[in-house]
mmCIF file of all heavy atoms in Angstrom:
data_model
loop_
_atom_site.group_PDB
_atom_site.id
_atom_site.type_symbol
_atom_site.label_atom_id
_atom_site.label_comp_id
_atom_site.label_asym_id
_atom_site.label_seq_id
_atom_site.Cartn_x
_atom_site.Cartn_y
_atom_site.Cartn_z
ATOM 1 N N VAL A 1 0.847 -1.191 0.000
ATOM 2 C CA VAL A 1 0.000 0.000 0.000
ATOM 3 C C VAL A 1 0.883 1.243 0.000
ATOM 4 O O VAL A 1 2.022 1.220 0.448
ATOM 5 C CB VAL A 1 -0.948 0.016 1.239
ATOM 6 C CG1 VAL A 1 -1.954 -1.110 1.134
ATOM 7 C CG2 VAL A 1 -0.170 -0.093 2.541
ATOM 8 N N GLU A 2 0.321 2.331 -0.528
ATOM 9 C CA GLU A 2 1.116 3.540 -0.705
ATOM 10 C C GLU A 2 1.269 4.354 0.565
ATOM 11 O O GLU A 2 2.153 5.207 0.651
ATOM 12 C CB GLU A 2 0.473 4.404 -1.793
ATOM 13 C CG GLU A 2 0.495 3.763 -3.174
ATOM 14 C CD GLU A 2 -0.158 4.650 -4.214
ATOM 15 O OE1 GLU A 2 -0.695 5.708 -3.834
ATOM 16 O OE2 GLU A 2 -0.121 4.288 -5.400
ATOM 17 N N LYS A 3 0.392 4.134 1.522
ATOM 18 C CA LYS A 3 0.443 4.929 2.745
ATOM 19 C C LYS A 3 0.109 4.052 3.938
ATOM 20 O O LYS A 3 -0.494 2.984 3.781
ATOM 21 C CB LYS A 3 -0.521 6.116 2.653
ATOM 22 C CG LYS A 3 -1.948 5.751 2.292
ATOM 23 C CD LYS A 3 -2.748 7.004 1.964
ATOM 24 C CE LYS A 3 -4.144 6.655 1.456
ATOM 25 N NZ LYS A 3 -4.898 7.838 1.018
ATOM 26 N N PRO A 4 0.497 4.464 5.141
ATOM 27 C CA PRO A 4 0.210 3.671 6.343
ATOM 28 C C PRO A 4 -1.282 3.369 6.479
ATOM 29 O O PRO A 4 -2.136 4.152 6.049
ATOM 30 C CB PRO A 4 0.705 4.573 7.469
ATOM 31 C CG PRO A 4 1.783 5.401 6.843
ATOM 32 C CD PRO A 4 1.308 5.650 5.445
ATOM 33 N N LYS A 5 -1.572 2.221 7.090
ATOM 34 C CA LYS A 5 -2.956 1.727 7.134
ATOM 35 C C LYS A 5 -3.904 2.663 7.880
ATOM 36 O O LYS A 5 -5.107 2.661 7.608
ATOM 37 C CB LYS A 5 -2.981 0.326 7.767
ATOM 38 C CG LYS A 5 -2.384 0.264 9.161
ATOM 39 C CD LYS A 5 -2.182 -1.173 9.612
ATOM 40 C CE LYS A 5 -1.470 -1.222 10.956
ATOM 41 N NZ LYS A 5 -1.187 -2.594 11.403
ATOM 42 N N GLN A 6 -3.384 3.494 8.814
ATOM 43 C CA GLN A 6 -4.270 4.410 9.534
ATOM 44 C C GLN A 6 -4.902 5.459 8.618
ATOM 45 O O GLN A 6 -5.885 6.095 8.990
ATOM 46 C CB GLN A 6 -3.532 5.095 10.693
ATOM 47 C CG GLN A 6 -2.324 5.920 10.326
ATOM 48 C CD GLN A 6 -1.031 5.137 10.424
ATOM 49 O OE1 GLN A 6 -1.024 3.909 10.272
ATOM 50 N NE2 GLN A 6 0.070 5.822 10.710
ATOM 51 N N PHE A 7 -4.330 5.625 7.424
ATOM 52 C CA PHE A 7 -4.861 6.606 6.475
ATOM 53 C C PHE A 7 -5.797 5.978 5.441
ATOM 54 O O PHE A 7 -6.380 6.688 4.625
ATOM 55 C CB PHE A 7 -3.724 7.341 5.768
ATOM 56 C CG PHE A 7 -2.783 8.051 6.709
ATOM 57 C CD1 PHE A 7 -1.416 7.833 6.648
ATOM 58 C CD2 PHE A 7 -3.270 8.926 7.667
ATOM 59 C CE1 PHE A 7 -0.555 8.484 7.515
ATOM 60 C CE2 PHE A 7 -2.409 9.577 8.539
ATOM 61 C CZ PHE A 7 -1.051 9.358 8.467
ATOM 62 N N MET A 8 -5.918 4.663 5.462
ATOM 63 C CA MET A 8 -6.863 4.005 4.561
ATOM 64 C C MET A 8 -8.281 4.314 5.027
ATOM 65 O O MET A 8 -8.510 4.614 6.206
ATOM 66 C CB MET A 8 -6.592 2.505 4.531
ATOM 67 C CG MET A 8 -5.194 2.168 4.030
ATOM 68 S SD MET A 8 -4.847 0.403 3.982
ATOM 69 C CE MET A 8 -5.773 -0.052 2.529
ATOM 70 N N GLU A 9 -9.233 4.245 4.100
ATOM 71 C CA GLU A 9 -10.597 4.664 4.429
ATOM 72 C C GLU A 9 -11.511 3.490 4.760
ATOM 73 O O GLU A 9 -11.417 2.419 4.171
ATOM 74 C CB GLU A 9 -11.201 5.472 3.270
ATOM 75 C CG GLU A 9 -10.553 6.832 3.102
ATOM 76 C CD GLU A 9 -11.333 7.755 2.187
ATOM 77 O OE1 GLU A 9 -12.383 7.325 1.651
ATOM 78 O OE2 GLU A 9 -10.902 8.917 2.010
ATOM 79 N N VAL A 10 -12.376 3.747 5.729
ATOM 80 C CA VAL A 10 -13.466 2.837 6.079
ATOM 81 C C VAL A 10 -14.718 3.698 6.202
ATOM 82 O O VAL A 10 -14.708 4.717 6.897
ATOM 83 C CB VAL A 10 -13.193 2.099 7.416
ATOM 84 C CG1 VAL A 10 -14.444 1.368 7.887
ATOM 85 C CG2 VAL A 10 -12.039 1.122 7.268
ATOM 86 N N GLY A 11 -15.754 3.317 5.490
ATOM 87 C CA GLY A 11 -16.976 4.110 5.549
ATOM 88 C C GLY A 11 -16.796 5.527 5.040
ATOM 89 O O GLY A 11 -17.482 6.450 5.480
ATOM 90 N N GLY A 12 -15.838 5.710 4.115
ATOM 91 C CA GLY A 12 -15.643 7.019 3.509
ATOM 92 C C GLY A 12 -14.765 7.973 4.288
ATOM 93 O O GLY A 12 -14.601 9.129 3.901
ATOM 94 N N LYS A 13 -14.156 7.490 5.387
ATOM 95 C CA LYS A 13 -13.263 8.341 6.171
ATOM 96 C C LYS A 13 -11.977 7.587 6.489
ATOM 97 O O LYS A 13 -12.002 6.357 6.649
ATOM 98 C CB LYS A 13 -13.918 8.758 7.499
ATOM 99 C CG LYS A 13 -15.054 9.745 7.374
ATOM 100 C CD LYS A 13 -15.572 10.126 8.769
ATOM 101 C CE LYS A 13 -16.724 11.111 8.699
ATOM 102 N NZ LYS A 13 -17.220 11.463 10.050
ATOM 103 N N PRO A 14 -10.856 8.289 6.622
ATOM 104 C CA PRO A 14 -9.622 7.633 7.068
ATOM 105 C C PRO A 14 -9.825 7.005 8.449
ATOM 106 O O PRO A 14 -10.514 7.576 9.303
ATOM 107 C CB PRO A 14 -8.607 8.776 7.118
ATOM 108 C CG PRO A 14 -9.153 9.811 6.196
ATOM 109 C CD PRO A 14 -10.641 9.717 6.319
ATOM 110 N N ILE A 15 -9.225 5.840 8.654
ATOM 111 C CA ILE A 15 -9.398 5.117 9.917
ATOM 112 C C ILE A 15 -8.993 5.982 11.105
ATOM 113 O O ILE A 15 -9.679 6.023 12.127
ATOM 114 C CB ILE A 15 -8.578 3.805 9.896
ATOM 115 C CG1 ILE A 15 -9.078 2.889 8.781
ATOM 116 C CG2 ILE A 15 -8.659 3.097 11.243
ATOM 117 C CD1 ILE A 15 -8.155 1.719 8.464
ATOM 118 N N ILE A 16 -7.886 6.705 10.980
ATOM 119 C CA ILE A 16 -7.416 7.527 12.091
ATOM 120 C C ILE A 16 -8.423 8.623 12.445
ATOM 121 O O ILE A 16 -8.582 8.981 13.624
ATOM 122 C CB ILE A 16 -6.022 8.127 11.812
ATOM 123 C CG1 ILE A 16 -5.448 8.760 13.089
ATOM 124 C CG2 ILE A 16 -6.065 9.127 10.666
ATOM 125 C CD1 ILE A 16 -4.007 9.193 12.959
ATOM 126 N N VAL A 17 -9.145 9.121 11.463
ATOM 127 C CA VAL A 17 -10.169 10.132 11.725
ATOM 128 C C VAL A 17 -11.310 9.529 12.548
ATOM 129 O O VAL A 17 -11.821 10.154 13.482
ATOM 130 C CB VAL A 17 -10.694 10.739 10.411
ATOM 131 C CG1 VAL A 17 -11.948 11.581 10.650
ATOM 132 C CG2 VAL A 17 -9.607 11.580 9.754
ATOM 133 N N LEU A 18 -11.699 8.291 12.209
ATOM 134 C CA LEU A 18 -12.746 7.611 12.986
ATOM 135 C C LEU A 18 -12.329 7.458 14.450
ATOM 136 O O LEU A 18 -13.144 7.633 15.362
ATOM 137 C CB LEU A 18 -13.043 6.236 12.371
ATOM 138 C CG LEU A 18 -13.597 6.233 10.946
ATOM 139 C CD1 LEU A 18 -13.711 4.801 10.434
ATOM 140 C CD2 LEU A 18 -14.956 6.922 10.894
ATOM 141 N N VAL A 19 -11.055 7.136 14.661
ATOM 142 C CA VAL A 19 -10.534 7.011 16.036
ATOM 143 C C VAL A 19 -10.582 8.364 16.747
ATOM 144 O O VAL A 19 -11.078 8.476 17.871
ATOM 145 C CB VAL A 19 -9.096 6.460 16.021
ATOM 146 C CG1 VAL A 19 -8.480 6.540 17.420
ATOM 147 C CG2 VAL A 19 -9.072 5.030 15.520
ATOM 148 N N LEU A 20 -10.082 9.391 16.074
ATOM 149 C CA LEU A 20 -10.019 10.715 16.701
ATOM 150 C C LEU A 20 -11.403 11.270 17.005
ATOM 151 O O LEU A 20 -11.591 11.956 18.011
ATOM 152 C CB LEU A 20 -9.237 11.682 15.813
ATOM 153 C CG LEU A 20 -7.733 11.423 15.744
ATOM 154 C CD1 LEU A 20 -7.083 12.308 14.682
ATOM 155 C CD2 LEU A 20 -7.077 11.650 17.103
ATOM 156 N N GLU A 21 -12.373 10.948 16.177
ATOM 157 C CA GLU A 21 -13.738 11.395 16.450
ATOM 158 C C GLU A 21 -14.251 10.826 17.765
ATOM 159 O O GLU A 21 -14.951 11.516 18.522
ATOM 160 C CB GLU A 21 -14.663 11.000 15.295
ATOM 161 C CG GLU A 21 -14.479 11.849 14.050
ATOM 162 C CD GLU A 21 -15.329 11.396 12.886
ATOM 163 O OE1 GLU A 21 -15.787 10.225 12.888
ATOM 164 O OE2 GLU A 21 -15.535 12.205 11.958
ATOM 165 N N LYS A 22 -13.895 9.574 18.060
ATOM 166 C CA LYS A 22 -14.312 8.952 19.328
ATOM 167 C C LYS A 22 -13.643 9.644 20.516
ATOM 168 O O LYS A 22 -14.254 9.820 21.573
ATOM 169 C CB LYS A 22 -13.946 7.463 19.328
ATOM 170 C CG LYS A 22 -14.647 6.633 18.259
ATOM 171 C CD LYS A 22 -16.115 6.454 18.575
ATOM 172 C CE LYS A 22 -16.806 5.591 17.536
ATOM 173 N NZ LYS A 22 -16.388 4.182 17.559
ATOM 174 N N PHE A 23 -12.381 10.023 20.336
ATOM 175 C CA PHE A 23 -11.639 10.634 21.441
ATOM 176 C C PHE A 23 -12.022 12.093 21.650
ATOM 177 O O PHE A 23 -12.176 12.544 22.786
ATOM 178 C CB PHE A 23 -10.135 10.510 21.180
ATOM 179 C CG PHE A 23 -9.542 9.230 21.703
ATOM 180 C CD1 PHE A 23 -9.855 8.006 21.118
ATOM 181 C CD2 PHE A 23 -8.678 9.229 22.787
ATOM 182 C CE1 PHE A 23 -9.331 6.814 21.607
ATOM 183 C CE2 PHE A 23 -8.136 8.053 23.291
ATOM 184 C CZ PHE A 23 -8.466 6.840 22.696
ATOM 185 N N ILE A 24 -12.187 12.833 20.567
ATOM 186 C CA ILE A 24 -12.386 14.275 20.702
ATOM 187 C C ILE A 24 -13.766 14.613 21.272
ATOM 188 O O ILE A 24 -13.948 15.669 21.878
ATOM 189 C CB ILE A 24 -12.149 14.988 19.349
ATOM 190 C CG1 ILE A 24 -11.781 16.452 19.568
ATOM 191 C CG2 ILE A 24 -13.318 14.844 18.430
ATOM 192 C CD1 ILE A 24 -10.457 16.676 20.246
ATOM 193 N N VAL A 25 -14.741 13.716 21.089
ATOM 194 C CA VAL A 25 -16.069 13.995 21.650
ATOM 195 C C VAL A 25 -16.149 13.613 23.130
ATOM 196 O O VAL A 25 -17.104 13.988 23.808
ATOM 197 C CB VAL A 25 -17.194 13.271 20.877
ATOM 198 C CG1 VAL A 25 -17.230 13.726 19.442
ATOM 199 C CG2 VAL A 25 -17.062 11.758 20.973
ATOM 200 N N HIS A 26 -15.159 12.878 23.626
ATOM 201 C CA HIS A 26 -15.183 12.508 25.046
ATOM 202 C C HIS A 26 -14.770 13.721 25.876
ATOM 203 O O HIS A 26 -13.706 14.307 25.651
ATOM 204 C CB HIS A 26 -14.253 11.330 25.325
ATOM 205 C CG HIS A 26 -14.516 10.690 26.654
ATOM 206 N ND1 HIS A 26 -14.202 11.301 27.850
ATOM 207 C CD2 HIS A 26 -15.120 9.511 26.976
ATOM 208 C CE1 HIS A 26 -14.578 10.522 28.845
ATOM 209 N NE2 HIS A 26 -15.130 9.428 28.344
ATOM 210 N N PRO A 27 -15.589 14.100 26.849
ATOM 211 C CA PRO A 27 -15.308 15.316 27.617
ATOM 212 C C PRO A 27 -14.170 15.166 28.623
ATOM 213 O O PRO A 27 -13.755 16.158 29.233
ATOM 214 C CB PRO A 27 -16.630 15.579 28.348
ATOM 215 C CG PRO A 27 -17.244 14.218 28.505
ATOM 216 C CD PRO A 27 -16.865 13.461 27.268
ATOM 217 N N GLY A 28 -13.653 13.954 28.781
ATOM 218 C CA GLY A 28 -12.671 13.721 29.827
ATOM 219 C C GLY A 28 -11.248 14.125 29.502
ATOM 220 O O GLY A 28 -10.386 14.131 30.384
ATOM 221 N N PHE A 29 -10.971 14.472 28.238
ATOM 222 C CA PHE A 29 -9.597 14.743 27.829
ATOM 223 C C PHE A 29 -9.284 16.234 27.789
ATOM 224 O O PHE A 29 -10.061 17.032 27.266
ATOM 225 C CB PHE A 29 -9.322 14.152 26.443
ATOM 226 C CG PHE A 29 -9.392 12.652 26.384
ATOM 227 C CD1 PHE A 29 -10.368 12.024 25.629
ATOM 228 C CD2 PHE A 29 -8.476 11.874 27.074
ATOM 229 C CE1 PHE A 29 -10.433 10.644 25.572
ATOM 230 C CE2 PHE A 29 -8.530 10.492 27.028
ATOM 231 C CZ PHE A 29 -9.510 9.868 26.272
ATOM 232 N N ASP A 30 -8.109 16.588 28.302
ATOM 233 C CA ASP A 30 -7.591 17.942 28.108
ATOM 234 C C ASP A 30 -7.149 18.122 26.664
ATOM 235 O O ASP A 30 -7.447 19.127 26.026
ATOM 236 C CB ASP A 30 -6.392 18.195 29.037
ATOM 237 C CG ASP A 30 -6.807 18.276 30.487
ATOM 238 O OD1 ASP A 30 -7.402 19.278 30.862
ATOM 239 O OD2 ASP A 30 -6.541 17.310 31.233
ATOM 240 N N LYS A 31 -6.390 17.131 26.163
ATOM 241 C CA LYS A 31 -5.928 17.147 24.784
ATOM 242 C C LYS A 31 -5.853 15.713 24.272
ATOM 243 O O LYS A 31 -5.782 14.758 25.061
ATOM 244 C CB LYS A 31 -4.531 17.786 24.653
ATOM 245 C CG LYS A 31 -4.511 19.302 24.700
ATOM 246 C CD LYS A 31 -3.122 19.833 24.335
ATOM 247 C CE LYS A 31 -3.143 21.362 24.271
ATOM 248 N NZ LYS A 31 -1.818 21.903 23.878
ATOM 249 N N VAL A 32 -5.850 15.595 22.956
ATOM 250 C CA VAL A 32 -5.615 14.308 22.313
ATOM 251 C C VAL A 32 -4.331 14.450 21.496
ATOM 252 O O VAL A 32 -4.243 15.291 20.605
ATOM 253 C CB VAL A 32 -6.791 13.899 21.407
ATOM 254 C CG1 VAL A 32 -6.482 12.570 20.719
ATOM 255 C CG2 VAL A 32 -8.087 13.793 22.210
ATOM 256 N N LEU A 33 -3.337 13.654 21.832
ATOM 257 C CA LEU A 33 -2.041 13.695 21.154
ATOM 258 C C LEU A 33 -1.980 12.582 20.117
ATOM 259 O O LEU A 33 -2.297 11.427 20.417
ATOM 260 C CB LEU A 33 -0.905 13.525 22.167
ATOM 261 C CG LEU A 33 -0.957 14.424 23.411
ATOM 262 C CD1 LEU A 33 0.243 14.130 24.316
ATOM 263 C CD2 LEU A 33 -1.001 15.896 23.025
#
């Protein structure tokens, strides 16, 4: 593959974006690194 698997798409979005969406909506985090 041309790019790391976290950038491949599932459901029309990059996998890493799906992960970050779960983290960023959680109110418990100061920041997501």
Side-chain angles (χ1 to χ4, degrees):
V1 293
E2 295 180 355
K3 53 191 174 185
K5 57 191 175 183
Q6 60 266 27
F7 302 127
M8 299 180 76
E9 290 193 359
V10 169
K13 289 183 180 180
I15 298 167
I16 191 172
V17 169
L18 297 175
V19 171
L20 289 172
E21 286 176 340
K22 297 289 182 69
F23 272 69
I24 204 67
V25 299
H26 195 289
F29 295 115
D30 291 287
K31 282 189 175 182
V32 178
L33 310 180

